[in-house]
Amino acid sequence: MPMQPWFSDAKLGIFLHYGIYAVDGVPESWAFYTGDVPHDRYMRQLDGFTASRYDPRAWADLFARTGARYAVLTARHHDGVALWGTAHGDLNVVRRTPAGRDLVAPYVDALRERGLKVGLYYSHSDWNHPDYASVVHPDPPAHDGVATNPYVTPKDGVEDPAAWARYLAYRDGQVGELVERFRPDLLWFDGEWERSEEQWRIRELARRILAGNPETVLNARMLSQGDYATPEQGLPVRIPDGPWELCLTVNDSWGHQPADDRHKSVGMLVRYFAETIGMGGNLLLGVGPREDGTVPEAQAERLTGLGDWIARHADAVYGTSAGLPPGHHYGPSTLSADGRTLYLFCFDAPREHVAVRGLRTPVKRVRVVGTGAELGHVVVGGLHEVPGVTWIDAPAPGDIDPYATVLALELDGDLDVYRGKGRD
Ligand code: GLC
């Protein structure tokens, strides 16, 4: 199934880690896995999870203002606490927390009302399920003590295939509910590293999801059945193969951790975003609401800052594809859907000129996106098959954007670049 066009055109999504871990502000699920927080104390957060100011319409407004076209909500993280009234297992916010209601349905409705695509995160693993630590990964990864952690692997190493079958039935039941009740546009799986593709029965799971809705987009943590790669917390240096999405926290944490004030600046976020779309990817930006459902101010400010920049540069963002390969321009670039406009992103204020190398297609006109100012340009040099350098006049100070100035080059033909080494 080819990638859904909405996904490639979306460019920006918001990744919500919302769960009981916001009550004490501890790392989502990992707090008890690593032993940093005793299990009983972690689970006592159930009693403090109120969702008392839960307003997914306000979320949807904020995300739309940020320029996001989709969002992904942790319907169930590794701690096993479901945000909807699942019929499978009893660990969910409806039954076990003062919130006492389904939080997924109103989120889905609010996003759709706003025209945003609906993503749901679901962890294959559940470190709280009594049947989960019942089989052993045949080739466990070296990280996170997968082979020895008692929440993952049976202590005595003895497998219990019947328990594992019950676990898979529970997981399949929950995923089935998500597909039937909410018809998500995107299912964002996680936790896949603790079992093999065969143990997870990935193919069967994908078949069932796609039988429910063949248009569901699946991330690469569905292993062989994933539609796109999910680099995490760091920009790839080379362009990943096929569609991809960088997931990135605004501070250093996925969930709400009030002590974490290492928020990225708006300038940093603009840069991450431009670099990502310049390589043809989407940015999935993490937000960690408080237990009451509100988004901390420090995060909302970053989002709207990024959104204001995107709004000024929407043409250079939506519907574009990856621009020039490295070596032609010092910064990322994107190409319009009709292939006739090349957008150059300049993070620093250009001095004198912006120079583009190896551009064969003649340039008709250059303007500054956002202000519309026209800039002169001239092609200098070039011999035989090696094109000259396109020198574009630097924008005037009043046309410089505080975060990233974007130049639109109107091309006289399809983009054609020289990738050679010059004459021997
Ligand atoms: C990791 C973590 C998890 C987080 C996810 C987001 O897989 O286990 O806590 O939800 O990354 O990509």
Side-chain angles (χ1 to χ4, degrees):
M1 168 88 49
M3 183 43 112
Q4 294 296 318
W6 73 260
F7 183 85
S8 317
D9 290 343
K11 308 300 175 193
L12 183 67
I14 301 294
F15 201 177
L16 289 146
H17 278 67
Y18 184 41
I20 64 165
Y21 35 85
V23 173
D24 291 345
V26 297
E28 69 289 345
S29 308
W30 291 96
F32 74 90
Y33 179 96
T34 57
D36 288 342
V37 173
H39 183 262
D40 59 338
R41 198 163 97 211
Y42 184 93
M43 297 312 287
R44 273 206 298 277
Q45 294 178 105
L46 287 165
D47 303 333
F49 187 76
T50 64
S52 57
R53 297 172 66 198
Y54 186 56
D55 181 2
R57 282 208 175 110
W59 282 1
D61 287 346
L62 174 65
F63 304 160
R65 185 154 172 225
T66 307
R69 298 280 165 95
Y70 64 108
V72 179
L73 170 68
T74 46
R76 176 169 91 40
H77 205 261
H78 317 315
D79 64 8
V81 182
L83 294 189
W84 79 101
T86 176
H88 302 274
D90 90 322
L91 195 52
N92 64 72
V93 300
V94 183
R95 235 176 289 168
R96 299 281 297 276
T97 73
R101 64 201 165 105
D102 179 347
L103 302 177
V104 177
Y107 154 86
V108 169
D109 292 345
L111 254 53
R112 293 212 160 112
E113 276 168 27
R114 262 299 197 165
L116 301 174
K117 295 288 183 185
V118 172
L120 294 175
Y121 165 111
Y122 185 84
S123 170
H124 292 289
S125 60
D126 179 343
W127 298 332
N128 257 320
H129 195 285
D131 291 319
Y132 182 64
S134 55
V135 288
V136 181
H137 193 309
D139 182 19
H143 60 82
D144 298 314
V146 167
T148 51
N149 189 293
Y151 294 111
V152 180
T153 301
K155 283 196 198 79
D156 49 10
V158 178
E159 298 200 324
D160 180 349
W164 185 244
R166 285 196 299 274
Y167 181 76
L168 290 177
Y170 152 81
R171 179 205 60 180
D172 292 346
Q174 289 201 327
V175 174
E177 287 176 339
L178 294 179
V179 173
E180 277 160 39
R181 290 193 200 172
F182 310 117
R183 218 181 152 77
D185 302 290
L186 164 63
L187 272 174
W188 210 104
F189 283 92
D190 196 15
E192 84 297 349
W193 62 88
E194 296 183 347
R195 303 283 185 257
S196 68
E197 163 123 3
E198 291 67 34
Q199 287 173 319
W200 288 129
R201 307 262 198 283
I202 287 288
R203 279 171 193 279
E204 294 85 331
L205 178 60
R207 209 176 303 129
R208 270 193 300 273
I209 294 167
L210 298 176
N213 176 8
E215 297 190 342
T216 319
V217 175
L218 303 173
N219 70 341
R221 300 180 195 188
M222 274 294 282
L223 302 169
S224 70
Q225 303 302 296
D227 297 312
Y228 71 90
T230 55
E232 182 167 335
Q233 296 289 38
L235 273 165
V237 175
R238 282 188 303 117
I239 299 190
D241 298 325
W244 63 281
E245 172 200 67
L246 169 68
C247 55
L248 183 81
T249 47
V250 172
N251 50 3
D252 283 343
S253 315
W254 290 111
H256 177 59
Q257 291 190 48
D260 177 358
D261 60 0
R262 288 173 34 100
H263 292 91
K264 294 167 184 76
S265 65
V266 172
M268 287 161 92
L269 293 176
V270 166
R271 190 152 174 155
Y272 274 109
F273 180 61
E275 302 262 23
T276 300
I277 64 173
M279 291 194 286
N282 286 356
L283 179 66
L284 185 64
L285 190 57
V287 163
R290 300 186 188 92
E291 71 75 23
D292 66 4
T294 55
V295 174
E297 207 39 50
Q299 300 202 341
E301 277 168 18
R302 274 26 176 226
L303 261 56
T304 52
L306 173 63
D308 291 344
W309 180 88
I310 293 177
R312 291 196 292 278
H313 300 94
D315 291 349
V317 171
Y318 301 112
T320 62
S321 54
L324 296 167
H328 298 271
H329 160 64
Y330 291 107
S333 58
T334 57
L335 188 64
S336 63
D338 67 2
R340 291 307 172 93
T341 308
L342 181 64
Y343 296 101
L344 305 181
F345 297 73
C346 306
F347 295 121
D348 299 311
R351 276 185 297 182
E352 209 175 307
H353 293 104
V354 173
V356 188
R357 295 189 304 266
L359 186 59
R360 280 210 188 98
T361 325
V363 173
K364 286 204 279 195
R365 213 165 69 100
V366 182
R367 72 189 151 81
V368 180
V369 180
T371 71
E374 290 232 13
L375 303 177
H377 71 279
V378 57
V379 178
V380 176
L383 184 64
H384 304 315
E385 82 280 13
V386 184
V389 174
T390 305
W391 296 91
I392 301 165
D393 295 341
D399 292 312
I400 300 290
D401 185 273
Y403 301 119
T405 308
V406 183
L407 310 184
L409 278 57
E410 222 179 275
L411 304 175
D412 196 6
D414 290 335
L415 178 66
D416 183 15
V417 292
Y418 171 71
R419 296 291 296 154
K421 288 185 263 186
R423 190 171 166 179
D424 282 332

PDB file of all heavy atoms in Angstrom, residues 15 17 28-30 74 77-78 121 127 144 188-193 221 230-232 247 254 284, ligand 1:
ATOM      1  N   PHE A  15       2.892  14.969  19.319  1.00  0.00           N
ATOM      2  CA  PHE A  15       2.962  13.672  19.999  1.00  0.00           C
ATOM      3  C   PHE A  15       2.630  13.900  21.473  1.00  0.00           C
ATOM      4  O   PHE A  15       3.408  14.531  22.191  1.00  0.00           O
ATOM      5  CB  PHE A  15       4.391  13.143  19.852  1.00  0.00           C
ATOM      6  CG  PHE A  15       4.555  11.664  20.024  1.00  0.00           C
ATOM      7  CD1 PHE A  15       5.813  11.093  19.841  1.00  0.00           C
ATOM      8  CD2 PHE A  15       3.503  10.839  20.350  1.00  0.00           C
ATOM      9  CE1 PHE A  15       6.005   9.731  19.969  1.00  0.00           C
ATOM     10  CE2 PHE A  15       3.687   9.467  20.480  1.00  0.00           C
ATOM     11  CZ  PHE A  15       4.948   8.918  20.294  1.00  0.00           C
ATOM     12  N   HIS A  17       2.126  12.605  25.163  1.00  0.00           N
ATOM     13  CA  HIS A  17       2.288  11.570  26.180  1.00  0.00           C
ATOM     14  C   HIS A  17       1.478  12.020  27.384  1.00  0.00           C
ATOM     15  O   HIS A  17       1.898  12.899  28.130  1.00  0.00           O
ATOM     16  CB  HIS A  17       3.762  11.386  26.545  1.00  0.00           C
ATOM     17  CG  HIS A  17       4.498  10.509  25.587  1.00  0.00           C
ATOM     18  ND1 HIS A  17       4.737  10.872  24.286  1.00  0.00           N
ATOM     19  CD2 HIS A  17       5.038   9.264  25.739  1.00  0.00           C
ATOM     20  CE1 HIS A  17       5.402   9.888  23.671  1.00  0.00           C
ATOM     21  NE2 HIS A  17       5.594   8.905  24.534  1.00  0.00           N
ATOM     22  N   GLU A  28       7.501   8.447  32.005  1.00  0.00           N
ATOM     23  CA  GLU A  28       6.380   7.602  31.595  1.00  0.00           C
ATOM     24  C   GLU A  28       6.780   6.125  31.619  1.00  0.00           C
ATOM     25  O   GLU A  28       7.751   5.738  30.988  1.00  0.00           O
ATOM     26  CB  GLU A  28       5.868   8.035  30.209  1.00  0.00           C
ATOM     27  CG  GLU A  28       6.794   7.767  29.032  1.00  0.00           C
ATOM     28  CD  GLU A  28       8.047   8.640  28.966  1.00  0.00           C
ATOM     29  OE1 GLU A  28       8.095   9.671  29.665  1.00  0.00           O
ATOM     30  OE2 GLU A  28       8.982   8.282  28.226  1.00  0.00           O
ATOM     31  N   SER A  29       6.095   5.351  32.391  1.00  0.00           N
ATOM     32  CA  SER A  29       6.287   3.895  32.517  1.00  0.00           C
ATOM     33  C   SER A  29       7.688   3.500  32.984  1.00  0.00           C
ATOM     34  O   SER A  29       7.853   2.648  33.864  1.00  0.00           O
ATOM     35  CB  SER A  29       5.985   3.158  31.201  1.00  0.00           C
ATOM     36  OG  SER A  29       4.720   3.522  30.708  1.00  0.00           O
ATOM     37  N   TRP A  30       8.709   4.133  32.436  1.00  0.00           N
ATOM     38  CA  TRP A  30      10.091   3.759  32.748  1.00  0.00           C
ATOM     39  C   TRP A  30      10.406   3.923  34.225  1.00  0.00           C
ATOM     40  O   TRP A  30      11.319   3.256  34.735  1.00  0.00           O
ATOM     41  CB  TRP A  30      11.056   4.601  31.906  1.00  0.00           C
ATOM     42  CG  TRP A  30      10.997   4.254  30.458  1.00  0.00           C
ATOM     43  CD1 TRP A  30      10.267   4.887  29.494  1.00  0.00           C
ATOM     44  CD2 TRP A  30      11.662   3.154  29.815  1.00  0.00           C
ATOM     45  NE1 TRP A  30      10.443   4.253  28.288  1.00  0.00           N
ATOM     46  CE2 TRP A  30      11.298   3.199  28.450  1.00  0.00           C
ATOM     47  CE3 TRP A  30      12.529   2.152  30.255  1.00  0.00           C
ATOM     48  CZ2 TRP A  30      11.769   2.265  27.524  1.00  0.00           C
ATOM     49  CZ3 TRP A  30      13.003   1.226  29.327  1.00  0.00           C
ATOM     50  CH2 TRP A  30      12.621   1.292  27.984  1.00  0.00           C
ATOM     51  N   THR A  74      -1.016   8.926  23.376  1.00  0.00           N
ATOM     52  CA  THR A  74      -0.704   7.638  24.019  1.00  0.00           C
ATOM     53  C   THR A  74      -1.977   6.987  24.541  1.00  0.00           C
ATOM     54  O   THR A  74      -2.360   7.185  25.698  1.00  0.00           O
ATOM     55  CB  THR A  74       0.247   7.860  25.207  1.00  0.00           C
ATOM     56  OG1 THR A  74      -0.254   8.981  25.970  1.00  0.00           O
ATOM     57  CG2 THR A  74       1.666   8.131  24.744  1.00  0.00           C
ATOM     58  N   HIS A  77       0.401   3.340  27.088  1.00  0.00           N
ATOM     59  CA  HIS A  77       1.867   3.286  27.112  1.00  0.00           C
ATOM     60  C   HIS A  77       2.312   1.956  27.724  1.00  0.00           C
ATOM     61  O   HIS A  77       1.493   1.074  27.993  1.00  0.00           O
ATOM     62  CB  HIS A  77       2.414   4.506  27.890  1.00  0.00           C
ATOM     63  CG  HIS A  77       3.802   4.879  27.495  1.00  0.00           C
ATOM     64  ND1 HIS A  77       4.914   4.507  28.224  1.00  0.00           N
ATOM     65  CD2 HIS A  77       4.278   5.561  26.413  1.00  0.00           C
ATOM     66  CE1 HIS A  77       6.009   4.959  27.604  1.00  0.00           C
ATOM     67  NE2 HIS A  77       5.649   5.608  26.512  1.00  0.00           N
ATOM     68  N   HIS A  78       3.648   1.795  27.929  1.00  0.00           N
ATOM     69  CA  HIS A  78       4.174   0.523  28.448  1.00  0.00           C
ATOM     70  C   HIS A  78       3.628   0.187  29.839  1.00  0.00           C
ATOM     71  O   HIS A  78       3.738  -0.962  30.276  1.00  0.00           O
ATOM     72  CB  HIS A  78       5.707   0.529  28.550  1.00  0.00           C
ATOM     73  CG  HIS A  78       6.454   1.116  27.387  1.00  0.00           C
ATOM     74  ND1 HIS A  78       6.157   0.833  26.077  1.00  0.00           N
ATOM     75  CD2 HIS A  78       7.528   1.968  27.352  1.00  0.00           C
ATOM     76  CE1 HIS A  78       7.026   1.493  25.289  1.00  0.00           C
ATOM     77  NE2 HIS A  78       7.834   2.193  26.038  1.00  0.00           N
ATOM     78  N   TYR A 121      -1.222   6.200  19.762  1.00  0.00           N
ATOM     79  CA  TYR A 121      -0.023   5.442  20.133  1.00  0.00           C
ATOM     80  C   TYR A 121      -0.467   4.236  20.932  1.00  0.00           C
ATOM     81  O   TYR A 121      -1.351   4.343  21.799  1.00  0.00           O
ATOM     82  CB  TYR A 121       0.863   6.358  20.985  1.00  0.00           C
ATOM     83  CG  TYR A 121       1.978   5.678  21.767  1.00  0.00           C
ATOM     84  CD1 TYR A 121       3.316   5.880  21.416  1.00  0.00           C
ATOM     85  CD2 TYR A 121       1.709   4.888  22.878  1.00  0.00           C
ATOM     86  CE1 TYR A 121       4.343   5.298  22.150  1.00  0.00           C
ATOM     87  CE2 TYR A 121       2.729   4.293  23.606  1.00  0.00           C
ATOM     88  CZ  TYR A 121       4.045   4.503  23.239  1.00  0.00           C
ATOM     89  OH  TYR A 121       5.054   3.926  23.964  1.00  0.00           O
ATOM     90  N   TRP A 127       4.074  -3.703  30.725  1.00  0.00           N
ATOM     91  CA  TRP A 127       4.873  -4.165  31.865  1.00  0.00           C
ATOM     92  C   TRP A 127       4.034  -4.422  33.106  1.00  0.00           C
ATOM     93  O   TRP A 127       4.551  -4.859  34.132  1.00  0.00           O
ATOM     94  CB  TRP A 127       5.958  -3.124  32.178  1.00  0.00           C
ATOM     95  CG  TRP A 127       6.920  -2.913  31.035  1.00  0.00           C
ATOM     96  CD1 TRP A 127       7.286  -3.805  30.070  1.00  0.00           C
ATOM     97  CD2 TRP A 127       7.651  -1.706  30.752  1.00  0.00           C
ATOM     98  NE1 TRP A 127       8.188  -3.246  29.210  1.00  0.00           N
ATOM     99  CE2 TRP A 127       8.438  -1.953  29.600  1.00  0.00           C
ATOM    100  CE3 TRP A 127       7.724  -0.440  31.364  1.00  0.00           C
ATOM    101  CZ2 TRP A 127       9.284  -0.981  29.043  1.00  0.00           C
ATOM    102  CZ3 TRP A 127       8.571   0.519  30.814  1.00  0.00           C
ATOM    103  CH2 TRP A 127       9.332   0.249  29.663  1.00  0.00           C
ATOM    104  N   ASP A 144      18.555  -1.614  27.855  1.00  0.00           N
ATOM    105  CA  ASP A 144      17.447  -1.632  28.820  1.00  0.00           C
ATOM    106  C   ASP A 144      17.249  -2.964  29.536  1.00  0.00           C
ATOM    107  O   ASP A 144      16.151  -3.238  30.046  1.00  0.00           O
ATOM    108  CB  ASP A 144      16.131  -1.195  28.135  1.00  0.00           C
ATOM    109  CG  ASP A 144      16.223   0.236  27.613  1.00  0.00           C
ATOM    110  OD1 ASP A 144      16.699   1.085  28.373  1.00  0.00           O
ATOM    111  OD2 ASP A 144      15.848   0.485  26.458  1.00  0.00           O
ATOM    112  N   TRP A 188       0.407   4.358  15.938  1.00  0.00           N
ATOM    113  CA  TRP A 188       1.831   4.559  16.242  1.00  0.00           C
ATOM    114  C   TRP A 188       2.217   3.543  17.314  1.00  0.00           C
ATOM    115  O   TRP A 188       1.951   3.737  18.496  1.00  0.00           O
ATOM    116  CB  TRP A 188       2.026   5.981  16.756  1.00  0.00           C
ATOM    117  CG  TRP A 188       3.348   6.636  16.491  1.00  0.00           C
ATOM    118  CD1 TRP A 188       3.600   7.589  15.552  1.00  0.00           C
ATOM    119  CD2 TRP A 188       4.582   6.423  17.178  1.00  0.00           C
ATOM    120  NE1 TRP A 188       4.918   7.973  15.612  1.00  0.00           N
ATOM    121  CE2 TRP A 188       5.541   7.282  16.595  1.00  0.00           C
ATOM    122  CE3 TRP A 188       4.988   5.598  18.226  1.00  0.00           C
ATOM    123  CZ2 TRP A 188       6.868   7.344  17.026  1.00  0.00           C
ATOM    124  CZ3 TRP A 188       6.317   5.648  18.650  1.00  0.00           C
ATOM    125  CH2 TRP A 188       7.235   6.512  18.056  1.00  0.00           C
ATOM    126  N   PHE A 189       2.823   2.456  16.873  1.00  0.00           N
ATOM    127  CA  PHE A 189       3.183   1.390  17.821  1.00  0.00           C
ATOM    128  C   PHE A 189       4.529   1.684  18.458  1.00  0.00           C
ATOM    129  O   PHE A 189       5.334   2.457  17.949  1.00  0.00           O
ATOM    130  CB  PHE A 189       3.204   0.038  17.105  1.00  0.00           C
ATOM    131  CG  PHE A 189       1.819  -0.507  16.872  1.00  0.00           C
ATOM    132  CD1 PHE A 189       1.151  -0.246  15.689  1.00  0.00           C
ATOM    133  CD2 PHE A 189       1.182  -1.247  17.860  1.00  0.00           C
ATOM    134  CE1 PHE A 189      -0.131  -0.726  15.482  1.00  0.00           C
ATOM    135  CE2 PHE A 189      -0.106  -1.727  17.660  1.00  0.00           C
ATOM    136  CZ  PHE A 189      -0.764  -1.469  16.462  1.00  0.00           C
ATOM    137  N   ASP A 190       4.773   1.019  19.596  1.00  0.00           N
ATOM    138  CA  ASP A 190       6.040   1.195  20.309  1.00  0.00           C
ATOM    139  C   ASP A 190       6.294  -0.078  21.121  1.00  0.00           C
ATOM    140  O   ASP A 190       5.426  -0.958  21.213  1.00  0.00           O
ATOM    141  CB  ASP A 190       5.938   2.435  21.224  1.00  0.00           C
ATOM    142  CG  ASP A 190       7.289   2.922  21.708  1.00  0.00           C
ATOM    143  OD1 ASP A 190       8.320   2.505  21.140  1.00  0.00           O
ATOM    144  OD2 ASP A 190       7.313   3.719  22.670  1.00  0.00           O
ATOM    145  N   GLY A 191       7.491  -0.161  21.707  1.00  0.00           N
ATOM    146  CA  GLY A 191       7.806  -1.273  22.601  1.00  0.00           C
ATOM    147  C   GLY A 191       8.148  -2.563  21.869  1.00  0.00           C
ATOM    148  O   GLY A 191       8.265  -3.624  22.492  1.00  0.00           O
ATOM    149  N   GLU A 192       8.333  -2.465  20.561  1.00  0.00           N
ATOM    150  CA  GLU A 192       8.516  -3.671  19.739  1.00  0.00           C
ATOM    151  C   GLU A 192       9.811  -4.411  20.043  1.00  0.00           C
ATOM    152  O   GLU A 192       9.929  -5.599  19.758  1.00  0.00           O
ATOM    153  CB  GLU A 192       8.439  -3.288  18.255  1.00  0.00           C
ATOM    154  CG  GLU A 192       9.720  -2.760  17.620  1.00  0.00           C
ATOM    155  CD  GLU A 192      10.260  -1.447  18.189  1.00  0.00           C
ATOM    156  OE1 GLU A 192       9.549  -0.788  18.966  1.00  0.00           O
ATOM    157  OE2 GLU A 192      11.407  -1.093  17.871  1.00  0.00           O
ATOM    158  N   TRP A 193      10.801  -3.745  20.664  1.00  0.00           N
ATOM    159  CA  TRP A 193      12.138  -4.320  20.813  1.00  0.00           C
ATOM    160  C   TRP A 193      12.186  -5.499  21.791  1.00  0.00           C
ATOM    161  O   TRP A 193      13.178  -6.202  21.852  1.00  0.00           O
ATOM    162  CB  TRP A 193      13.130  -3.227  21.232  1.00  0.00           C
ATOM    163  CG  TRP A 193      12.798  -2.603  22.569  1.00  0.00           C
ATOM    164  CD1 TRP A 193      13.199  -3.046  23.805  1.00  0.00           C
ATOM    165  CD2 TRP A 193      11.998  -1.433  22.811  1.00  0.00           C
ATOM    166  NE1 TRP A 193      12.686  -2.228  24.794  1.00  0.00           N
ATOM    167  CE2 TRP A 193      11.961  -1.227  24.213  1.00  0.00           C
ATOM    168  CE3 TRP A 193      11.314  -0.541  21.984  1.00  0.00           C
ATOM    169  CZ2 TRP A 193      11.262  -0.158  24.796  1.00  0.00           C
ATOM    170  CZ3 TRP A 193      10.616   0.512  22.575  1.00  0.00           C
ATOM    171  CH2 TRP A 193      10.589   0.694  23.952  1.00  0.00           C
ATOM    172  N   ARG A 221       7.517   0.622  13.944  1.00  0.00           N
ATOM    173  CA  ARG A 221       7.567  -0.255  15.114  1.00  0.00           C
ATOM    174  C   ARG A 221       6.520  -1.360  14.975  1.00  0.00           C
ATOM    175  O   ARG A 221       6.259  -2.112  15.902  1.00  0.00           O
ATOM    176  CB  ARG A 221       7.458   0.576  16.391  1.00  0.00           C
ATOM    177  CG  ARG A 221       8.633   1.555  16.437  1.00  0.00           C
ATOM    178  CD  ARG A 221       8.714   2.470  17.612  1.00  0.00           C
ATOM    179  NE  ARG A 221       9.684   3.550  17.295  1.00  0.00           N
ATOM    180  CZ  ARG A 221      10.116   4.450  18.146  1.00  0.00           C
ATOM    181  NH1 ARG A 221       9.683   4.428  19.385  1.00  0.00           N
ATOM    182  NH2 ARG A 221      10.969   5.374  17.772  1.00  0.00           N
ATOM    183  N   THR A 230      10.946   5.800  12.039  1.00  0.00           N
ATOM    184  CA  THR A 230      10.715   6.719  13.171  1.00  0.00           C
ATOM    185  C   THR A 230      12.016   7.052  13.897  1.00  0.00           C
ATOM    186  O   THR A 230      12.194   6.675  15.053  1.00  0.00           O
ATOM    187  CB  THR A 230       9.747   6.096  14.200  1.00  0.00           C
ATOM    188  OG1 THR A 230      10.286   4.821  14.594  1.00  0.00           O
ATOM    189  CG2 THR A 230       8.374   5.919  13.654  1.00  0.00           C
ATOM    190  N   PRO A 231      12.951   7.773  13.256  1.00  0.00           N
ATOM    191  CA  PRO A 231      14.113   8.228  14.024  1.00  0.00           C
ATOM    192  C   PRO A 231      13.630   9.047  15.226  1.00  0.00           C
ATOM    193  O   PRO A 231      12.581   9.696  15.153  1.00  0.00           O
ATOM    194  CB  PRO A 231      14.897   9.084  13.026  1.00  0.00           C
ATOM    195  CG  PRO A 231      13.971   9.387  11.902  1.00  0.00           C
ATOM    196  CD  PRO A 231      12.943   8.308  11.881  1.00  0.00           C
ATOM    197  N   GLU A 232      14.381   8.962  16.326  1.00  0.00           N
ATOM    198  CA  GLU A 232      13.888   9.540  17.581  1.00  0.00           C
ATOM    199  C   GLU A 232      14.948  10.435  18.220  1.00  0.00           C
ATOM    200  O   GLU A 232      16.100  10.029  18.351  1.00  0.00           O
ATOM    201  CB  GLU A 232      13.545   8.363  18.515  1.00  0.00           C
ATOM    202  CG  GLU A 232      12.969   8.757  19.844  1.00  0.00           C
ATOM    203  CD  GLU A 232      12.352   7.564  20.581  1.00  0.00           C
ATOM    204  OE1 GLU A 232      11.939   6.582  19.939  1.00  0.00           O
ATOM    205  OE2 GLU A 232      12.297   7.632  21.821  1.00  0.00           O
ATOM    206  N   CYS A 247      10.621  11.931  15.707  1.00  0.00           N
ATOM    207  CA  CYS A 247       9.899  12.308  16.923  1.00  0.00           C
ATOM    208  C   CYS A 247      10.881  12.950  17.888  1.00  0.00           C
ATOM    209  O   CYS A 247      12.014  12.500  18.054  1.00  0.00           O
ATOM    210  CB  CYS A 247       9.110  11.155  17.535  1.00  0.00           C
ATOM    211  SG  CYS A 247      10.022   9.673  17.910  1.00  0.00           S
ATOM    212  N   TRP A 254       9.216  13.017  27.444  1.00  0.00           N
ATOM    213  CA  TRP A 254       7.981  12.789  26.683  1.00  0.00           C
ATOM    214  C   TRP A 254       6.767  13.192  27.499  1.00  0.00           C
ATOM    215  O   TRP A 254       5.874  13.882  27.016  1.00  0.00           O
ATOM    216  CB  TRP A 254       7.869  11.319  26.278  1.00  0.00           C
ATOM    217  CG  TRP A 254       8.875  10.926  25.244  1.00  0.00           C
ATOM    218  CD1 TRP A 254       9.947  10.093  25.406  1.00  0.00           C
ATOM    219  CD2 TRP A 254       8.919  11.368  23.877  1.00  0.00           C
ATOM    220  NE1 TRP A 254      10.642   9.995  24.229  1.00  0.00           N
ATOM    221  CE2 TRP A 254      10.037  10.756  23.274  1.00  0.00           C
ATOM    222  CE3 TRP A 254       8.122  12.221  23.112  1.00  0.00           C
ATOM    223  CZ2 TRP A 254      10.365  10.970  21.933  1.00  0.00           C
ATOM    224  CZ3 TRP A 254       8.451  12.421  21.774  1.00  0.00           C
ATOM    225  CH2 TRP A 254       9.555  11.807  21.201  1.00  0.00           C
ATOM    226  N   LEU A 284       7.387  15.078  14.425  1.00  0.00           N
ATOM    227  CA  LEU A 284       6.349  14.756  15.413  1.00  0.00           C
ATOM    228  C   LEU A 284       6.861  15.289  16.739  1.00  0.00           C
ATOM    229  O   LEU A 284       7.764  14.714  17.353  1.00  0.00           O
ATOM    230  CB  LEU A 284       6.121  13.240  15.465  1.00  0.00           C
ATOM    231  CG  LEU A 284       4.982  12.769  16.365  1.00  0.00           C
ATOM    232  CD1 LEU A 284       3.631  13.269  15.872  1.00  0.00           C
ATOM    233  CD2 LEU A 284       4.960  11.242  16.454  1.00  0.00           C
TER     234      LEU A 284
HETATM  235  C1  GLC B   1      10.610   5.238  23.476  1.00  0.00           C
HETATM  236  C2  GLC B   1      10.156   5.156  24.914  1.00  0.00           C
HETATM  237  C3  GLC B   1       8.862   5.772  25.164  1.00  0.00           C
HETATM  238  C4  GLC B   1       8.405   6.862  24.278  1.00  0.00           C
HETATM  239  C5  GLC B   1       8.810   6.645  22.848  1.00  0.00           C
HETATM  240  C6  GLC B   1       8.462   7.764  21.941  1.00  0.00           C
HETATM  241  O1  GLC B   1      10.299   4.129  22.743  1.00  0.00           O
HETATM  242  O2  GLC B   1      10.094   3.841  25.380  1.00  0.00           O
HETATM  243  O3  GLC B   1       8.752   6.094  26.511  1.00  0.00           O
HETATM  244  O4  GLC B   1       7.033   6.814  24.325  1.00  0.00           O
HETATM  245  O5  GLC B   1      10.152   6.368  22.775  1.00  0.00           O
HETATM  246  O6  GLC B   1       9.003   7.562  20.677  1.00  0.00           O
END
